[in-house]
């Protein structure tokens, strides 16, 4: 596996691959990789000849008071996981390689998409995500890019960005990967104490409850999200940020659930903010 720190290294290597007629897949990550990331790499390896994984904690998507400094990092462990899963090149730049000291240009979705759900409490987050993902797309010029469905709002906003800016890159959304007990994989799970880890299971239980209610024929979004909220508040360490039902593409609030809608939540367990979601399938929940 090639370890690249500079934009020019990545560009030269990708140029060689493209000259040989090989397709390139990109998996953007912020490192501290787990099985969820591994599943994205596996899918990229299945679909593309060469796979580039970016491993970069992107400062522009963290707001003041968020966990930029403490965000977990372990590049050696990441490289071992990536080699084991067949990644061909990891891009691990310094912040100074990606950003000048004064950033004057951002990529920003100016609709309500980044203002709802997580955007209500993280107002600059998706501007930072769109900016860094655009930069990675320009650097790697992949044929396909792979993102997890756990970050469903991010995925919808990136799909819109790719359409609006004619990136010509296929965006592949990959299913949420869960621990055996249901907790959605996240680098932030590492912040949880043993007791918090137990109570964090309420997120996946709420997902299951929502799906069961839909499978029984309930399509009223308020009723479903209210029951999910009631379940979550039973946990003393849980504080709900939001539990919402939105259209899966526009992210606009929805009252009556239909196939493809998104039921998403963010919940603090102690100080750790966790997210989870499911896409509505009226036949199965
Ligand atoms: O999903 C993430 O880990 C990040 O938001 C991403 C897409 C790598 C951009 O920094």
């Amino acid at each position: 596996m090639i370890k690249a720190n500079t934009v020019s290294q990545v560009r030269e290597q990708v140029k060689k691959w493209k000259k040989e007629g090989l397709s390139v897949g990109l998996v953007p990550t912020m490192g501290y990789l787990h099985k969820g990331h591994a599943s994205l790499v596996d899918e990229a390896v299945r679909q593309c000849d060469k796979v580039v994984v970016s491993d970069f904690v992107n400062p522009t998507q963290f707001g003041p008071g968020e966990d930029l400094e403490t965000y977990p990092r372990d590049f050696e462990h990441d490289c071992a996981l990536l080699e084991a899963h067949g990644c061909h090149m990891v891009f691990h730049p310094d912040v100074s390689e990606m950003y000048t000291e004064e950033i004057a240009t951002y990529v920003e979705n100016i609709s309500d998409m980044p203002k709802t759900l997580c955007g209500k409490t993280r107002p600059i987050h998706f501007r930072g995500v769109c900016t860094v993902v655009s930069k990675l797309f320009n650097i790697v010029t992949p044929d396909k890019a792979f993102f997890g469905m756990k970050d469903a709002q991010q995925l919808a906003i990136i799909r819109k960005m790719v359409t609006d800016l004619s990136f010509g890159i296929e965006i592949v959304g990959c299913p949420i990967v869960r621990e055996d007990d249901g907790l959605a994989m996240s680098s932030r799970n590492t912040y949880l104490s043993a007791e918090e880890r137990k109570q964090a299971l309420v997120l996946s239980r709420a997902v299951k409850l929502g799906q069961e209610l839909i499978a029984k024929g309930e399509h009223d979004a308020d009723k479903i999200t209210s029951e999910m909220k009631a379940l979550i508040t039973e946990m003393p360490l849980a504080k709900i940020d939001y539990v919402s039902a939105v259209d899966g593409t526009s992210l606009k609030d929805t009252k009556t659930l239909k196939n493809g809608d998104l039921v998403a939540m963010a919940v603090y367990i102690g100080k750790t903010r966790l997210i989870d979601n499911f896409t509505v399938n009226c036949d199965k929940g």
Side-chain angles (χ1 to χ4, degrees), residues 28-30 58 61 129 132-133 147 151 154:
T29 82
M30 296 210 300
N58 171 39
Q61 68 190 73
V129 169
V132 80
V133 170
F147 294 88
D151 296 301
Q154 166 173 286

Side-chain angles (χ1 to χ4, degrees), residues 19-228:
K19 246 191 182 166
E20 292 169 38
L22 301 171
S23 64
V24 177
L26 169 66
V27 182
T29 82
M30 296 210 300
Y32 213 69
L33 305 179
H34 49 65
K35 284 185 208 153
H37 298 109
S39 76
L40 301 180
V41 178
D42 291 344
E43 192 54 37
V45 167
R46 266 193 290 276
Q47 295 197 24
C48 303
D49 298 318
K50 296 290 178 187
V51 172
V52 180
V53 174
S54 61
D55 186 317
F56 176 63
V57 180
N58 171 39
T60 62
Q61 68 190 73
F62 289 79
E66 290 188 353
D67 56 347
L68 172 61
E69 272 79 36
T70 53
Y71 194 84
R73 292 158 167 92
D74 188 347
F75 186 57
E76 256 181 53
H77 166 269
D78 291 349
C79 286
L81 179 143
L82 292 175
E83 294 223 46
H85 285 266
C87 167
H88 301 92
M89 176 160 64
V90 60
F91 177 44
H92 184 55
D94 282 340
V95 172
S96 59
E97 181 69 13
M98 291 295 276
Y99 292 110
T100 54
E101 273 190 15
E102 266 184 50
I103 304 164
T105 310
Y106 288 101
V107 178
E108 184 167 18
N109 179 316
I110 57 164
S111 77
D112 286 338
M113 290 178 82
K115 297 190 187 123
T116 184
L117 307 176
C118 290
K120 285 187 181 158
T121 51
R122 307 191 74 192
I124 61 151
H125 177 69
F126 293 105
R127 183 186 73 175
V129 169
C130 286
T131 302
V132 80
V133 170
S134 300
K135 286 170 71 67
L136 291 167
F137 285 175
N138 285 332
I139 295 163
V140 180
T141 62
D143 300 282
K144 298 187 184 195
F146 299 77
F147 294 88
M149 286 159 69
K150 185 165 78 70
D151 296 301
Q153 185 175 13
Q154 166 173 286
L155 181 56
I157 290 172
I158 287 169
R159 284 192 195 283
K160 181 75 178 124
M161 177 183 85
V162 164
T163 304
D164 284 352
L165 300 184
S166 308
F167 267 109
I169 294 167
E170 185 185 328
I171 301 302
V172 182
C174 301
I176 297 176
V177 179
R178 297 180 181 281
E179 304 280 4
D180 289 343
D181 59 9
L183 182 69
M185 301 259 177
S186 164
S187 304
R188 290 191 170 99
N189 290 349
T190 178
Y191 297 152
L192 300 168
S193 69
E195 182 53 34
E196 288 169 345
R197 173 71 183 71
K198 257 194 231 159
Q199 297 201 21
L201 288 180
V202 78
L203 279 91
S204 53
R205 290 219 306 273
V207 163
K208 215 163 159 231
L209 173 64
Q211 288 173 324
E212 281 166 6
L213 291 169
I214 295 167
K216 280 187 195 152
E218 182 60 77
H219 290 167
D220 183 318
D222 282 345
K223 279 195 189 147
I224 290 164
T225 52
S226 300
E227 292 217 22
M228 290 168 68

